[in-house]
Each structure stands twice: as structure tokens, then as C-alpha cells.
CSV table of all heavy atoms in Angstrom, one decimal:
chain,number,residue,atom,x,y,z
L,1134,MET,N,0.8,-1.2,0.0
L,1134,MET,CA,0.0,0.0,0.0
L,1134,MET,C,0.9,1.2,0.0
L,1134,MET,O,1.9,1.3,0.7
L,1134,MET,CB,-0.9,0.0,1.2
L,1134,MET,CG,-1.5,1.3,1.6
L,1134,MET,SD,-2.3,1.2,3.2
L,1134,MET,CE,-3.9,1.6,2.6
L,1135,ILE,N,0.5,2.2,-0.7
L,1135,ILE,CA,1.2,3.5,-0.8
L,1135,ILE,C,0.4,4.5,-0.1
L,1135,ILE,O,-0.8,4.7,-0.4
L,1135,ILE,CB,1.5,4.0,-2.2
L,1135,ILE,CG1,2.5,2.9,-2.8
L,1135,ILE,CG2,2.2,5.3,-2.3
L,1135,ILE,CD1,2.8,3.2,-4.3
L,1136,LYS,N,1.0,5.2,0.9
L,1136,LYS,CA,0.3,6.2,1.7
L,1136,LYS,C,0.8,7.6,1.3
L,1136,LYS,O,2.0,7.8,1.1
L,1136,LYS,CB,0.8,6.0,3.2
L,1136,LYS,CG,0.3,7.0,4.2
L,1136,LYS,CD,-0.9,6.5,4.9
L,1136,LYS,CE,-1.4,7.5,6.0
L,1136,LYS,NZ,-2.7,7.9,5.9
L,1137,CYS,N,-0.1,8.5,1.1
L,1137,CYS,CA,0.2,9.9,0.7
L,1137,CYS,C,0.0,10.8,1.9
L,1137,CYS,O,-1.0,10.8,2.6
L,1137,CYS,CB,-0.8,10.3,-0.4
L,1137,CYS,SG,-0.4,12.0,-1.0
L,1138,HIS,N,1.0,11.5,2.2
L,1138,HIS,CA,1.1,12.4,3.3
L,1138,HIS,C,0.8,13.9,3.0
L,1138,HIS,O,1.1,14.8,3.7
L,1138,HIS,CB,2.5,12.4,4.0
L,1138,HIS,CG,2.8,11.0,4.5
L,1138,HIS,ND1,2.1,10.4,5.6
L,1138,HIS,CD2,3.7,10.1,4.1
L,1138,HIS,CE1,2.6,9.2,5.8
L,1138,HIS,NE2,3.6,9.0,4.9
L,1139,LEU,N,0.2,14.1,1.8
L,1139,LEU,CA,-0.1,15.5,1.4
L,1139,LEU,C,-1.0,16.2,2.4
L,1139,LEU,O,-0.8,17.4,2.7
L,1139,LEU,CB,-0.8,15.5,0.0
L,1139,LEU,CG,-1.1,16.9,-0.6
L,1139,LEU,CD1,0.2,17.7,-0.7
L,1139,LEU,CD2,-1.8,16.8,-1.9
L,1140,SER,N,-2.1,15.6,2.9
L,1140,SER,CA,-3.0,16.2,3.8
L,1140,SER,C,-2.3,16.6,5.1
L,1140,SER,O,-2.5,17.7,5.6
L,1140,SER,CB,-4.2,15.3,4.2
L,1140,SER,OG,-3.8,14.2,4.8
L,1141,ARG,N,-1.3,15.8,5.6
L,1141,ARG,CA,-0.6,16.2,6.8
L,1141,ARG,C,0.3,17.4,6.5
L,1141,ARG,O,0.4,18.3,7.3
L,1141,ARG,CB,0.3,15.0,7.3
L,1141,ARG,CG,1.1,15.3,8.5
L,1141,ARG,CD,2.0,14.2,9.0
L,1141,ARG,NE,2.8,13.6,7.9
L,1141,ARG,CZ,3.9,14.2,7.4
L,1141,ARG,NH1,4.4,15.3,8.0
L,1141,ARG,NH2,4.7,13.6,6.5
L,1142,ILE,N,1.0,17.3,5.4
L,1142,ILE,CA,2.0,18.4,5.0
L,1142,ILE,C,1.2,19.7,4.9
L,1142,ILE,O,1.6,20.8,5.4
L,1142,ILE,CB,2.7,18.1,3.8
L,1142,ILE,CG1,3.7,16.8,4.1
L,1142,ILE,CG2,3.5,19.3,3.3
L,1142,ILE,CD1,4.3,16.3,2.8
L,1143,MET,N,0.1,19.7,4.1
L,1143,MET,CA,-0.7,20.9,3.9
L,1143,MET,C,-1.3,21.4,5.2
L,1143,MET,O,-1.4,22.6,5.5
L,1143,MET,CB,-1.8,20.6,2.9
L,1143,MET,CG,-1.3,20.5,1.5
L,1143,MET,SD,-2.6,20.1,0.3
L,1143,MET,CE,-3.8,21.3,0.5
L,1144,GLY,N,-1.7,20.5,6.1
L,1144,GLY,CA,-2.2,20.9,7.4
L,1144,GLY,C,-1.2,21.6,8.3
L,1144,GLY,O,-1.4,22.6,8.9
L,1145,GLU,N,0.1,21.1,8.3
L,1145,GLU,CA,1.1,21.7,9.0
L,1145,GLU,C,1.5,23.1,8.4
L,1145,GLU,O,1.8,24.0,9.2
L,1145,GLU,CB,2.4,20.8,8.9
L,1145,GLU,CG,2.3,19.5,9.6
L,1145,GLU,CD,3.5,18.6,9.3
L,1145,GLU,OE1,4.3,18.9,8.5
L,1145,GLU,OE2,3.6,17.5,10.0
L,1146,LYS,N,1.3,23.3,7.2
L,1146,LYS,CA,1.6,24.6,6.5
L,1146,LYS,C,0.3,25.5,6.4
L,1146,LYS,O,0.4,26.5,5.9
L,1146,LYS,CB,2.2,24.4,5.2
L,1146,LYS,CG,3.6,23.7,5.2
L,1146,LYS,CD,4.1,23.4,3.8
L,1146,LYS,CE,5.4,22.7,3.9
L,1146,LYS,NZ,6.6,23.5,3.9
L,1147,LYS,N,-0.8,24.9,6.9
L,1147,LYS,CA,-2.1,25.6,6.9
L,1147,LYS,C,-2.5,26.1,5.5
L,1147,LYS,O,-2.8,27.2,5.2
L,1147,LYS,CB,-2.1,26.8,7.8
L,1147,LYS,CG,-1.9,26.4,9.3
L,1147,LYS,CD,-2.0,27.6,10.2
L,1147,LYS,CE,-1.7,27.4,11.6
L,1147,LYS,NZ,-1.8,26.2,12.3
L,1148,LEU,N,-2.4,25.1,4.6
L,1148,LEU,CA,-2.7,25.4,3.2
L,1148,LEU,C,-4.0,24.7,2.8
L,1148,LEU,O,-4.3,23.6,3.3
L,1148,LEU,CB,-1.6,24.8,2.3
L,1148,LEU,CG,-0.2,25.4,2.4
L,1148,LEU,CD1,0.8,24.6,1.7
L,1148,LEU,CD2,-0.2,26.9,1.9
L,1149,LYS,N,-4.7,25.3,1.9
L,1149,LYS,CA,-6.0,24.8,1.4
L,1149,LYS,C,-5.8,24.2,0.0
L,1149,LYS,O,-4.9,24.6,-0.7
L,1149,LYS,CB,-7.1,25.9,1.3
L,1149,LYS,CG,-7.4,26.5,2.6
L,1149,LYS,CD,-8.5,27.6,2.4
L,1149,LYS,CE,-8.8,28.2,3.8
L,1149,LYS,NZ,-9.7,29.4,3.6
L,1150,VAL,N,-6.6,23.2,-0.3
L,1150,VAL,CA,-6.5,22.5,-1.6
L,1150,VAL,C,-6.5,23.6,-2.7
L,1150,VAL,O,-5.7,23.5,-3.7
L,1150,VAL,CB,-7.6,21.4,-1.8
L,1150,VAL,CG1,-7.6,20.9,-3.2
L,1150,VAL,CG2,-7.3,20.3,-0.8
L,1151,ALA,N,-7.5,24.5,-2.7
L,1151,ALA,CA,-7.7,25.4,-3.8
L,1151,ALA,C,-6.4,26.3,-3.9
L,1151,ALA,O,-6.0,26.6,-5.1
L,1151,ALA,CB,-8.9,26.3,-3.5
L,1152,ASP,N,-5.9,26.7,-2.8
L,1152,ASP,CA,-4.7,27.6,-2.9
L,1152,ASP,C,-3.5,26.9,-3.5
L,1152,ASP,O,-2.8,27.4,-4.3
L,1152,ASP,CB,-4.3,28.1,-1.5
L,1152,ASP,CG,-5.4,28.9,-0.8
L,1152,ASP,OD1,-6.2,29.6,-1.6
L,1152,ASP,OD2,-5.5,29.0,0.4
L,1153,VAL,N,-3.3,25.6,-3.1
L,1153,VAL,CA,-2.2,24.8,-3.7
L,1153,VAL,C,-2.4,24.6,-5.2
L,1153,VAL,O,-1.5,24.8,-6.0
L,1153,VAL,CB,-2.0,23.5,-3.0
L,1153,VAL,CG1,-1.0,22.6,-3.7
L,1153,VAL,CG2,-1.6,23.7,-1.5
L,1154,ALA,N,-3.6,24.2,-5.6
L,1154,ALA,CA,-3.9,24.0,-7.0
L,1154,ALA,C,-3.7,25.3,-7.8
L,1154,ALA,O,-3.1,25.2,-8.9
L,1154,ALA,CB,-5.4,23.5,-7.1
L,1155,ARG,N,-4.1,26.3,-7.3
L,1155,ARG,CA,-3.9,27.6,-8.0
L,1155,ARG,C,-2.5,28.0,-8.1
L,1155,ARG,O,-2.0,28.4,-9.2
L,1155,ARG,CB,-4.7,28.7,-7.3
L,1155,ARG,CG,-4.9,30.0,-8.0
L,1155,ARG,CD,-5.7,31.1,-7.3
L,1155,ARG,NE,-7.0,30.5,-6.8
L,1155,ARG,CZ,-7.3,30.3,-5.6
L,1155,ARG,NH1,-6.5,30.7,-4.6
L,1155,ARG,NH2,-8.5,29.9,-5.2
L,1156,ALA,N,-1.7,27.8,-7.0
L,1156,ALA,CA,-0.3,28.2,-7.0
L,1156,ALA,C,0.6,27.4,-7.9
L,1156,ALA,O,1.5,27.9,-8.5
L,1156,ALA,CB,0.2,28.1,-5.6
L,1157,ILE,N,0.2,26.1,-8.1
L,1157,ILE,CA,1.1,25.3,-9.0
L,1157,ILE,C,0.4,25.0,-10.3
L,1157,ILE,O,0.9,24.3,-11.1
L,1157,ILE,CB,1.4,23.9,-8.3
L,1157,ILE,CG1,0.2,23.0,-8.1
L,1157,ILE,CG2,2.2,24.1,-7.0
L,1157,ILE,CD1,0.5,21.6,-7.6
L,1158,ASP,N,-0.7,25.7,-10.6
L,1158,ASP,CA,-1.4,25.6,-11.9
L,1158,ASP,C,-1.8,24.1,-12.2
L,1158,ASP,O,-1.4,23.6,-13.3
L,1158,ASP,CB,-0.6,26.2,-13.0
L,1158,ASP,CG,-1.4,26.5,-14.2
L,1158,ASP,OD1,-2.6,26.8,-14.1
L,1158,ASP,OD2,-0.8,26.4,-15.3
L,1159,VAL,N,-2.5,23.5,-11.3
L,1159,VAL,CA,-2.9,22.1,-11.5
L,1159,VAL,C,-4.4,22.1,-11.1
L,1159,VAL,O,-4.8,22.8,-10.3
L,1159,VAL,CB,-2.2,21.1,-10.6
L,1159,VAL,CG1,-2.7,19.7,-10.6
L,1159,VAL,CG2,-0.7,21.1,-11.0
L,1160,HIS,N,-5.2,21.3,-11.8
L,1160,HIS,CA,-6.6,21.2,-11.5
L,1160,HIS,C,-6.9,20.8,-10.1
L,1160,HIS,O,-6.2,19.9,-9.6
L,1160,HIS,CB,-7.3,20.2,-12.5
L,1160,HIS,CG,-8.8,20.3,-12.5
L,1160,HIS,ND1,-9.6,19.7,-11.6
L,1160,HIS,CD2,-9.6,21.0,-13.3
L,1160,HIS,CE1,-10.8,20.0,-11.8
L,1160,HIS,NE2,-10.9,20.8,-12.9
L,1161,ARG,N,-7.8,21.5,-9.5
L,1161,ARG,CA,-8.1,21.2,-8.0
L,1161,ARG,C,-8.4,19.8,-7.8
L,1161,ARG,O,-8.0,19.2,-6.7
L,1161,ARG,CB,-9.3,22.1,-7.7
L,1161,ARG,CG,-9.7,21.9,-6.2
L,1161,ARG,CD,-11.0,22.8,-6.0
L,1161,ARG,NE,-11.5,22.3,-4.7
L,1161,ARG,CZ,-11.9,23.2,-3.7
L,1161,ARG,NH1,-11.8,24.5,-4.0
L,1161,ARG,NH2,-12.3,22.7,-2.6
L,1162,ASN,N,-9.1,19.1,-8.7
L,1162,ASN,CA,-9.4,17.7,-8.5
L,1162,ASN,C,-8.2,16.8,-8.3
L,1162,ASN,O,-8.2,15.8,-7.5
L,1162,ASN,CB,-10.3,17.2,-9.6
L,1162,ASN,CG,-10.9,15.9,-9.3
L,1162,ASN,OD1,-11.5,15.7,-8.2
L,1162,ASN,ND2,-10.9,14.9,-10.2
L,1163,SER,N,-7.1,17.1,-9.0
L,1163,SER,CA,-5.9,16.4,-8.9
L,1163,SER,C,-5.3,16.5,-7.5
L,1163,SER,O,-4.9,15.4,-6.9
L,1163,SER,CB,-4.8,16.9,-9.9
L,1163,SER,OG,-5.3,16.7,-11.2
L,1164,ILE,N,-5.4,17.6,-6.9
L,1164,ILE,CA,-4.8,17.8,-5.5
L,1164,ILE,C,-5.8,17.1,-4.5
L,1164,ILE,O,-5.4,16.5,-3.6
L,1164,ILE,CB,-4.7,19.3,-5.2
L,1164,ILE,CG1,-3.8,20.0,-6.2
L,1164,ILE,CG2,-4.1,19.5,-3.8
L,1164,ILE,CD1,-2.4,19.4,-6.3
L,1165,THR,N,-7.1,17.3,-4.8
L,1165,THR,CA,-8.1,16.7,-3.9
L,1165,THR,C,-7.9,15.1,-3.8
L,1165,THR,O,-8.0,14.6,-2.8
L,1165,THR,CB,-9.5,17.0,-4.3
L,1165,THR,OG1,-9.7,18.5,-4.3
L,1165,THR,CG2,-10.6,16.4,-3.4
L,1166,LEU,N,-7.7,14.5,-5.0
L,1166,LEU,CA,-7.5,13.1,-5.0
L,1166,LEU,C,-6.3,12.6,-4.2
L,1166,LEU,O,-6.4,11.6,-3.5
L,1166,LEU,CB,-7.4,12.6,-6.4
L,1166,LEU,CG,-8.7,12.6,-7.3
L,1166,LEU,CD1,-8.4,12.3,-8.7
L,1166,LEU,CD2,-9.8,11.7,-6.7
L,1167,LEU,N,-5.2,13.4,-4.3
L,1167,LEU,CA,-4.0,13.1,-3.5
L,1167,LEU,C,-4.3,13.3,-2.0
L,1167,LEU,O,-3.9,12.6,-1.2
L,1167,LEU,CB,-2.8,13.9,-4.0
L,1167,LEU,CG,-2.3,13.5,-5.3
L,1167,LEU,CD1,-1.3,14.5,-5.8
L,1167,LEU,CD2,-1.6,12.1,-5.2
L,1168,TYR,N,-4.9,14.4,-1.7
L,1168,TYR,CA,-5.2,14.9,-0.4
L,1168,TYR,C,-6.1,13.8,0.3
L,1168,TYR,O,-5.8,13.5,1.5
L,1168,TYR,CB,-6.0,16.2,-0.4
L,1168,TYR,CG,-6.2,16.8,1.0
L,1168,TYR,CD1,-5.3,17.7,1.5
L,1168,TYR,CD2,-7.3,16.6,1.7
L,1168,TYR,CE1,-5.5,18.3,2.7
L,1168,TYR,CE2,-7.6,17.1,2.9
L,1168,TYR,CZ,-6.6,18.0,3.4
L,1168,TYR,OH,-6.8,18.6,4.7
L,1169,ASP,N,-7.1,13.3,-0.4
L,1169,ASP,CA,-8.0,12.3,0.2
L,1169,ASP,C,-7.5,10.9,0.1
L,1169,ASP,O,-8.2,9.9,0.5
L,1169,ASP,CB,-9.4,12.4,-0.5
L,1169,ASP,CG,-10.1,13.7,-0.2
L,1169,ASP,OD1,-9.8,14.3,0.8
L,1169,ASP,OD2,-11.0,14.1,-1.0
L,1170,GLU,N,-6.4,10.7,-0.6
L,1170,GLU,CA,-5.7,9.4,-0.8
L,1170,GLU,C,-6.6,8.5,-1.6
L,1170,GLU,O,-6.7,7.3,-1.3
L,1170,GLU,CB,-5.3,8.7,0.5
L,1170,GLU,CG,-4.2,9.5,1.3
L,1170,GLU,CD,-3.7,8.7,2.5
L,1170,GLU,OE1,-3.1,7.7,2.2
L,1170,GLU,OE2,-3.9,9.1,3.6
L,1171,THR,N,-7.3,9.0,-2.6
L,1171,THR,CA,-8.1,8.2,-3.5
L,1171,THR,C,-7.6,8.2,-4.9
L,1171,THR,O,-8.2,7.6,-5.8
L,1171,THR,CB,-9.6,8.8,-3.5
L,1171,THR,OG1,-9.5,10.2,-3.9
L,1171,THR,CG2,-10.3,8.7,-2.1
L,1172,ALA,N,-6.5,8.9,-5.1
L,1172,ALA,CA,-5.9,8.9,-6.5
L,1172,ALA,C,-5.4,7.5,-6.9
L,1172,ALA,O,-4.8,6.8,-6.1
L,1172,ALA,CB,-4.7,9.9,-6.5
L,1173,THR,N,-5.6,7.1,-8.1
L,1173,THR,CA,-5.1,5.8,-8.6
L,1173,THR,C,-4.0,6.1,-9.6
L,1173,THR,O,-3.2,5.1,-9.9
L,1173,THR,CB,-6.3,5.1,-9.4
L,1173,THR,OG1,-6.8,5.9,-10.4
L,1173,THR,CG2,-7.3,4.7,-8.4
L,1174,ARG,N,-3.8,7.3,-10.0
L,1174,ARG,CA,-2.7,7.7,-10.9
L,1174,ARG,C,-2.2,9.0,-10.4
L,1174,ARG,O,-2.9,9.9,-10.0
L,1174,ARG,CB,-3.1,7.8,-12.3
L,1174,ARG,CG,-3.7,6.6,-12.9
L,1174,ARG,CD,-4.2,6.9,-14.3
L,1174,ARG,NE,-5.1,5.8,-14.7
L,1174,ARG,CZ,-5.4,5.5,-15.9
L,1174,ARG,NH1,-4.9,6.3,-16.9
L,1174,ARG,NH2,-6.2,4.5,-16.3
L,1175,VAL,N,-0.9,9.2,-10.7
L,1175,VAL,CA,-0.3,10.5,-10.3
L,1175,VAL,C,0.6,11.0,-11.5
L,1175,VAL,O,1.4,10.2,-12.0
L,1175,VAL,CB,0.6,10.4,-9.0
L,1175,VAL,CG1,1.1,11.8,-8.6
L,1175,VAL,CG2,-0.2,9.8,-7.9
L,1176,ASP,N,0.4,12.2,-11.9
L,1176,ASP,CA,1.2,12.8,-13.0
L,1176,ASP,C,2.5,13.2,-12.4
L,1176,ASP,O,2.6,13.9,-11.4
L,1176,ASP,CB,0.4,14.0,-13.6
L,1176,ASP,CG,1.1,14.6,-14.8
L,1176,ASP,OD1,1.3,13.9,-15.7
L,1176,ASP,OD2,1.5,15.8,-14.6
L,1177,LEU,N,3.6,12.9,-13.1
L,1177,LEU,CA,4.9,13.2,-12.6
L,1177,LEU,C,5.1,14.8,-12.5
L,1177,LEU,O,5.8,15.3,-11.6
L,1177,LEU,CB,6.0,12.6,-13.4
L,1177,LEU,CG,6.1,11.0,-13.4
L,1177,LEU,CD1,7.2,10.5,-14.3
L,1177,LEU,CD2,6.3,10.6,-11.9
L,1178,ASP,N,4.6,15.5,-13.5
L,1178,ASP,CA,4.7,16.9,-13.5
L,1178,ASP,C,4.0,17.5,-12.3
L,1178,ASP,O,4.5,18.5,-11.7
L,1178,ASP,CB,4.1,17.5,-14.8
L,1178,ASP,CG,4.3,19.0,-14.9
L,1178,ASP,OD1,5.5,19.4,-14.7
L,1178,ASP,OD2,3.3,19.7,-15.2
L,1179,THR,N,2.8,17.0,-11.9
L,1179,THR,CA,2.1,17.4,-10.7
L,1179,THR,C,3.0,17.2,-9.4
L,1179,THR,O,3.1,18.0,-8.6
L,1179,THR,CB,0.8,16.7,-10.5
L,1179,THR,OG1,0.0,17.0,-11.7
L,1179,THR,CG2,0.1,17.1,-9.3
L,1180,LEU,N,3.6,16.0,-9.4
L,1180,LEU,CA,4.5,15.7,-8.2
L,1180,LEU,C,5.7,16.6,-8.2
L,1180,LEU,O,6.1,17.1,-7.1
L,1180,LEU,CB,5.0,14.2,-8.3
L,1180,LEU,CG,4.0,13.2,-8.0
L,1180,LEU,CD1,4.6,11.8,-8.2
L,1180,LEU,CD2,3.3,13.3,-6.7
L,1181,ASN,N,6.2,16.9,-9.3
L,1181,ASN,CA,7.4,17.9,-9.4
L,1181,ASN,C,7.0,19.2,-8.8
L,1181,ASN,O,7.7,19.8,-8.0
L,1181,ASN,CB,7.9,17.9,-10.8
L,1181,ASN,CG,9.1,18.7,-10.9
L,1181,ASN,OD1,10.1,18.5,-10.2
L,1181,ASN,ND2,9.1,19.7,-11.8
L,1182,LYS,N,5.8,19.7,-9.3
L,1182,LYS,CA,5.3,21.0,-8.9
L,1182,LYS,C,5.0,21.0,-7.4
L,1182,LYS,O,5.3,22.0,-6.7
L,1182,LYS,CB,4.1,21.4,-9.7
L,1182,LYS,CG,4.4,21.7,-11.1
L,1182,LYS,CD,3.1,22.0,-11.9
L,1182,LYS,CE,3.3,22.4,-13.3
L,1182,LYS,NZ,2.1,22.7,-14.0
L,1183,LEU,N,4.4,20.0,-6.9
L,1183,LEU,CA,4.1,19.9,-5.4
L,1183,LEU,C,5.4,19.9,-4.6
L,1183,LEU,O,5.4,20.6,-3.6
L,1183,LEU,CB,3.3,18.6,-5.1
L,1183,LEU,CG,1.8,18.6,-5.4
L,1183,LEU,CD1,1.2,17.2,-5.2
L,1183,LEU,CD2,1.2,19.6,-4.4
L,1184,CYS,N,6.4,19.2,-5.0
L,1184,CYS,CA,7.6,19.1,-4.2
L,1184,CYS,C,8.3,20.5,-4.2
L,1184,CYS,O,8.8,20.9,-3.2
L,1184,CYS,CB,8.6,18.1,-4.8
L,1184,CYS,SG,8.1,16.4,-4.5
L,1185,ILE,N,8.3,21.2,-5.4
L,1185,ILE,CA,8.9,22.5,-5.4
L,1185,ILE,C,8.1,23.4,-4.5
L,1185,ILE,O,8.7,24.2,-3.7
L,1185,ILE,CB,9.0,23.0,-6.9
L,1185,ILE,CG1,10.0,22.2,-7.7
L,1185,ILE,CG2,9.3,24.5,-6.9
L,1185,ILE,CD1,9.9,22.4,-9.1
L,1186,TYR,N,6.8,23.4,-4.7
L,1186,TYR,CA,6.0,24.4,-3.9
L,1186,TYR,C,6.0,24.1,-2.4
L,1186,TYR,O,6.1,25.1,-1.6
L,1186,TYR,CB,4.5,24.3,-4.4
L,1186,TYR,CG,3.5,25.3,-3.7
L,1186,TYR,CD1,3.6,26.6,-4.0
L,1186,TYR,CD2,2.7,24.8,-2.8
L,1186,TYR,CE1,2.8,27.5,-3.3
L,1186,TYR,CE2,1.8,25.7,-2.2
L,1186,TYR,CZ,1.9,27.0,-2.4
L,1186,TYR,OH,1.0,27.9,-1.8
L,1187,LEU,N,5.9,22.9,-2.0
L,1187,LEU,CA,5.9,22.5,-0.6
L,1187,LEU,C,7.3,22.4,0.0
L,1187,LEU,O,7.5,22.2,1.2
L,1187,LEU,CB,5.2,21.2,-0.4
L,1187,LEU,CG,3.7,21.2,-0.8
L,1187,LEU,CD1,3.2,19.8,-0.8
L,1187,LEU,CD2,2.9,22.1,0.1
L,1188,LYS,N,8.3,22.5,-0.9
L,1188,LYS,CA,9.7,22.4,-0.4
L,1188,LYS,C,10.0,21.1,0.3
L,1188,LYS,O,10.4,21.1,1.5
L,1188,LYS,CB,10.1,23.6,0.4
L,1188,LYS,CG,10.1,25.0,-0.3
L,1188,LYS,CD,10.4,26.1,0.6
L,1188,LYS,CE,10.4,27.4,-0.2
L,1188,LYS,NZ,9.2,28.2,0.0
L,1189,CYS,N,9.6,20.0,-0.4
L,1189,CYS,CA,9.8,18.7,0.2
L,1189,CYS,C,10.3,17.8,-0.8
L,1189,CYS,O,10.4,18.1,-2.0
L,1189,CYS,CB,8.5,18.2,0.8
L,1189,CYS,SG,7.2,17.8,-0.4
L,1190,ASP,N,10.7,16.6,-0.4
L,1190,ASP,CA,11.1,15.5,-1.3
L,1190,ASP,C,10.0,14.6,-1.6
L,1190,ASP,O,9.0,14.5,-0.8
L,1190,ASP,CB,12.3,14.7,-0.7
L,1190,ASP,CG,13.5,15.6,-0.5
L,1190,ASP,OD1,13.8,16.4,-1.4
L,1190,ASP,OD2,14.3,15.4,0.5
L,1191,ILE,N,10.1,13.8,-2.6
L,1191,ILE,CA,9.1,12.8,-3.0
L,1191,ILE,C,8.8,11.8,-1.8
L,1191,ILE,O,7.7,11.5,-1.6
L,1191,ILE,CB,9.4,12.1,-4.3
L,1191,ILE,CG1,8.2,11.4,-4.8
L,1191,ILE,CG2,10.6,11.1,-4.1
L,1191,ILE,CD1,7.2,12.2,-5.4
L,1192,GLN,N,9.9,11.4,-1.1
L,1192,GLN,CA,9.7,10.5,0.0
L,1192,GLN,C,8.9,11.2,1.2
L,1192,GLN,O,8.4,10.5,2.0
L,1192,GLN,CB,11.0,9.9,0.5
L,1192,GLN,CG,12.0,10.8,0.9
L,1192,GLN,CD,13.0,11.2,-0.2
L,1192,GLN,OE1,12.6,11.3,-1.4
L,1192,GLN,NE2,14.2,11.5,0.2
L,1193,ASP,N,8.9,12.5,1.2
L,1193,ASP,CA,8.1,13.2,2.2
L,1193,ASP,C,6.6,13.0,1.9
L,1193,ASP,O,5.7,13.0,2.8
L,1193,ASP,CB,8.4,14.6,2.4
L,1193,ASP,CG,9.9,14.8,2.8
L,1193,ASP,OD1,10.4,14.0,3.6
L,1193,ASP,OD2,10.5,15.8,2.4
L,1194,LEU,N,6.3,13.0,0.6
L,1194,LEU,CA,4.9,12.9,0.2
L,1194,LEU,C,4.3,11.5,0.2
L,1194,LEU,O,3.2,11.3,0.5
L,1194,LEU,CB,4.8,13.4,-1.3
L,1194,LEU,CG,4.7,14.9,-1.5
L,1194,LEU,CD1,4.7,15.3,-3.0
L,1194,LEU,CD2,3.5,15.6,-0.8
L,1195,PHE,N,5.1,10.5,-0.1
L,1195,PHE,CA,4.7,9.1,-0.2
L,1195,PHE,C,5.5,8.2,0.7
L,1195,PHE,O,6.7,8.4,0.8
L,1195,PHE,CB,4.7,8.6,-1.7
L,1195,PHE,CG,3.8,9.4,-2.6
L,1195,PHE,CD1,4.3,10.4,-3.4
L,1195,PHE,CD2,2.5,9.1,-2.6
L,1195,PHE,CE1,3.4,11.1,-4.3
L,1195,PHE,CE2,1.6,9.8,-3.5
L,1195,PHE,CZ,2.1,10.8,-4.3
L,1196,GLU,N,4.8,7.1,1.1
L,1196,GLU,CA,5.4,6.1,1.9
L,1196,GLU,C,4.8,4.8,1.4
L,1196,GLU,O,3.7,4.6,1.2
L,1196,GLU,CB,5.1,6.4,3.4
L,1196,GLU,CG,5.7,5.3,4.3
L,1196,GLU,CD,5.2,5.6,5.8
L,1196,GLU,OE1,4.4,6.5,6.0
L,1196,GLU,OE2,5.8,4.9,6.6
L,1197,PHE,N,5.7,3.8,1.3
L,1197,PHE,CA,5.3,2.4,1.0
L,1197,PHE,C,5.2,1.6,2.2
L,1197,PHE,O,6.1,1.5,3.0
L,1197,PHE,CB,6.3,1.7,0.0
L,1197,PHE,CG,6.0,0.3,-0.2
L,1197,PHE,CD1,5.0,-0.1,-1.0
L,1197,PHE,CD2,6.8,-0.7,0.3
L,1197,PHE,CE1,4.6,-1.4,-1.2
L,1197,PHE,CE2,6.5,-2.0,0.1
L,1197,PHE,CZ,5.4,-2.4,-0.7
L,1198,LEU,N,4.0,1.1,2.4
L,1198,LEU,CA,3.7,0.2,3.6
L,1198,LEU,C,3.4,-1.2,3.1
L,1198,LEU,O,2.3,-1.4,2.5
L,1198,LEU,CB,2.5,0.8,4.4
L,1198,LEU,CG,2.7,2.2,4.9
L,1198,LEU,CD1,1.4,2.7,5.5
L,1198,LEU,CD2,3.7,2.3,6.0
L,1199,PRO,N,4.2,-2.2,3.4
L,1199,PRO,CA,3.9,-3.5,2.9
L,1199,PRO,C,2.6,-4.0,3.6
L,1199,PRO,O,2.4,-3.6,4.8
L,1199,PRO,CB,5.1,-4.3,3.4
L,1199,PRO,CG,6.2,-3.4,3.8
L,1199,PRO,CD,5.5,-2.1,4.1
L,1200,GLU,N,1.8,-4.7,2.9
L,1200,GLU,CA,0.5,-5.2,3.5
L,1200,GLU,C,0.7,-6.4,4.3
L,1200,GLU,O,1.5,-7.2,4.3
L,1200,GLU,CB,-0.4,-5.4,2.3
L,1200,GLU,CG,-0.8,-4.1,1.7
L,1200,GLU,CD,-1.9,-4.2,0.7
L,1200,GLU,OE1,-2.8,-5.1,0.9
L,1200,GLU,OE2,-1.9,-3.4,-0.2
């Protein structure tokens, strides 16, 4: 299972989904799916923009948990 920590990171920085989506020029639904951990696909460009905007590494966003 892959766990997405976007909601925790955004909460720590007090960021809203709409603000992040607007700032990185990505559709709000893409951020919402990651935030809610319901995304089945992730665009690499979106991940790149998120890491730059949030000043984090990819391993800060995602974690692999063996089942």
C-alpha cells in the first residue's frame, strides 16, 4: 500500500487545496484526490510542482507500507 502524506503536510503549513492547486497551476481535483488518498494515478509533473511548492522531497509525500 502506498500512503500519501499530502494532507498532513498541507495541514502543517495551513494550506487549502484550492490555494495549492492555483499556486502550482494544477486542476483542483488532482490535488483533492491526493489529499483524500483516493488517487489511482499521479502525474509526474504534478508531483514535481508539489515538491517544489511545498519544499519537500518525494519521500516526504509518499510512503510504501507492505501489506
Side-chain angles (χ1 to χ4, degrees):
M1134 158 188 245
I1135 296 179
K1136 176 99 173 127
C1137 182
H1138 298 291
L1139 182 60
S1140 61
R1141 179 184 51 79
I1142 294 169
M1143 287 176 56
E1145 290 170 356
K1146 297 177 183 268
K1147 298 184 185 339
L1148 296 169
K1149 296 179 182 176
V1150 169
D1152 295 335
V1153 172
R1155 194 176 309 112
I1157 66 172
D1158 195 31
V1159 173
H1160 195 275
R1161 178 186 169 132
N1162 192 46
S1163 298
I1164 304 302
T1165 300
L1166 290 172
L1167 288 169
Y1168 186 92
D1169 293 338
E1170 296 189 65
T1171 56
T1173 56
R1174 300 176 196 199
V1175 183
D1176 183 63
L1177 295 179
D1178 187 49
T1179 300
L1180 291 180
N1181 186 54
K1182 289 177 179 182
L1183 276 171
C1184 287
I1185 291 169
Y1186 181 73
L1187 298 171
K1188 297 179 177 100
C1189 68
D1190 293 324
I1191 193 75
Q1192 59 267 30
D1193 298 328
L1194 280 174
F1195 295 100
E1196 177 183 11
F1197 174 71
L1198 303 170
E1200 294 192 26

